[in-house]
């Protein structure tokens, strides 16, 4: 069955430190993966998707099919990065529903 | 606001009751998705409609139903409510039919069942 695992519920780092939010997936098909972010009192929004291989707000994520991972990284965390981060997997087969991980709450301390 | 809108923002009701949550997608988006976010289960996909027709079903209980109307707004009906139905219900919309298209989320409706 398809599953997305984010092993850390909470992650706390200091400003300027590197940050890595872990995401592992289980899916027999060809995965399409996303990171969504929810800042305080804002709606859930797309941060980045693996297919575009882009860097958004300094964040990058590389799909590692061998390790079935899609970890989100940023070399120097900023206070404004504090938010809930959700890793999501889109399933093949006509529908575009997303399977979400349970999320990681990132706190960047000054 | 041309984004996804959801009403009401908050809903408090009693067990056994029935409620209707409403979602208006972004202009031009044909697909609407419903998700439930609870503390223990996280964000779970419930159901998707595309241009008025059901396209995919997830972990949606039989007590729940949804529909998408000709003007593309959608309603999620929850009946015989139980305490465990208390959650945030999100609606998202997308253009669909486009490779790698993005889902845009609404602000959510917080349902509290007492």
């Amino acid at each position: 069955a398809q599953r997305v695992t984010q092993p850390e519920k909470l992650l706390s780092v200091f400003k300027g430190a590197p940050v890595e939010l872990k995401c592992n997936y289980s899916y027999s098909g060809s995965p399409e993966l996303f990171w969504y972010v929810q800042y305080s009192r804002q709606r859930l929004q797309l941060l980045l998707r693996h297919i575009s291989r882009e860097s958004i707000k300094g964040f990058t994520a590389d799909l590692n099919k061998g390790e079935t991972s899609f970890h989100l990284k940023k070399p120097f965390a900023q206070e404004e990065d504090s938010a809930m981060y959700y890793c999501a997997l889109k399933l093949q087969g006509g529908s575009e529903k997303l399977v979400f991980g349970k999320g990681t709450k990132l706190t960047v301390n000054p | 606001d041309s984004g996804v809108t959801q009403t009401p923002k908050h809903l408090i009701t009693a067990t056994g009751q029935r409620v209707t949550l409403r979602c208006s997608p972004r202009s031009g988006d044909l697909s609407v998705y419903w998700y439930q976010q609870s503390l223990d289960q996280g964000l779970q996909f419930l159901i998707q409609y595309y241009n008025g027709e059901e396209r995919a079903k997830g972990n949606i209980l039989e007590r729940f139903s949804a529909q998408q109307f000709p003007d593309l707004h959608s309603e999620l009906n929850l009946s015989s409510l139980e305490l465990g139905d208390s959650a945030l219900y999100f609606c998202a919309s997308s253009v669909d039919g486009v490779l790698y298209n993005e889902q845009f989320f609404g602000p959510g409706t917080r349902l509290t069942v007492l």
Side-chain angles (χ1 to χ4, degrees), chain A residues 90-101:
Chain A
K90 190 165 86 172
L91 306 182
Q92 294 174 313
S95 163
E96 306 211 4
K97 68 180 186 183
L98 296 171
V99 176
F100 283 88

Side-chain angles (χ1 to χ4, degrees), chain A residues 13-19 39 57-59 74-83 85 106-110:
Chain A
V13 300
F14 286 103
K15 177 181 168 181
V19 63
Y39 301 103
K57 299 184 179 183
F59 284 98
K74 184 168 183 175
F76 308 104
Q78 303 299 314
E79 288 179 69
E80 55 265 30
D81 297 328
S82 296
Y85 291 81
L106 173 66
T107 302
V108 181
N109 300 298

Side-chain angles (χ1 to χ4, degrees), chain B residues 6-15 17-23 34 64 75-79 81-90 107-114:
Chain B
Q6 290 186 247
T7 55
K9 277 189 178 173
H10 304 277
L11 201 45
I12 300 174
T13 188
T15 54
Q17 295 299 304
R18 174 190 165 93
V19 297
T20 297
L21 313 184
R22 184 189 165 104
C23 167
W34 285 98
F64 296 1
E75 292 181 356
L76 179 67
N77 301 295
L78 315 176
S79 60
L81 285 167
E82 302 175 359
L83 295 176
D85 297 328
S86 295
L88 256 174
Y89 291 84
F90 286 104
T109 292
R110 183 173 292 281
L111 173 66
T112 302
V113 182
L114 302 174

Side-chain angles (χ1 to χ4, degrees), chain A residues 2-50:
Chain A
Q2 55 275 3
R3 188 184 302 122
V4 175
T5 304
Q6 293 179 250
E8 303 133 330
K9 263 190 170 176
L10 304 169
L11 186 60
S12 185
V13 300
F14 286 103
K15 177 181 168 181
V19 63
E20 182 180 50
L21 293 94
K22 291 185 167 49
C23 171
N24 288 89
Y25 67 91
S26 170
Y27 182 49
S28 57
S30 184
E32 189 177 340
L33 287 146
F34 304 81
W35 277 99
Y36 277 79
V37 61
Q38 189 171 28
Y39 301 103
S40 178
R41 283 189 285 278
Q42 292 187 30
R43 60 186 69 189
L44 198 62
Q45 56 187 285
L46 179 66
L47 179 62
L48 54 79
R49 68 192 89 190
H50 91 269

Side-chain angles (χ1 to χ4, degrees), chain B residues 9-91:
Chain B
K9 277 189 178 173
H10 304 277
L11 201 45
I12 300 174
T13 188
T15 54
Q17 295 299 304
R18 174 190 165 93
V19 297
T20 297
L21 313 184
R22 184 189 165 104
C23 167
S24 292
R26 291 187 324 149
S27 177
D29 286 356
L30 299 179
S31 263
V32 168
Y33 310 77
W34 285 98
Y35 293 88
Q36 180 194 56
Q37 185 180 41
S38 59
L39 279 172
D40 52 341
Q41 295 294 323
L43 255 170
Q44 294 223 308
F45 168 76
L46 295 177
I47 197 163
Q48 178 198 0
Y49 276 82
Y50 174 75
N51 204 18
E53 306 227 340
E54 184 185 302
R55 175 165 275 196
K57 236 175 180 174
N59 302 321
I60 187 165
L61 299 171
E62 283 192 19
R63 301 183 285 110
F64 296 1
S65 65
Q67 53 185 323
Q68 187 179 27
F69 295 85
D71 67 353
L72 300 176
H73 92 270
S74 177
E75 292 181 356
L76 179 67
N77 301 295
L78 315 176
S79 60
S80 303
L81 285 167
E82 302 175 359
L83 295 176
D85 297 328
S86 295
L88 256 174
Y89 291 84
F90 286 104
C91 169

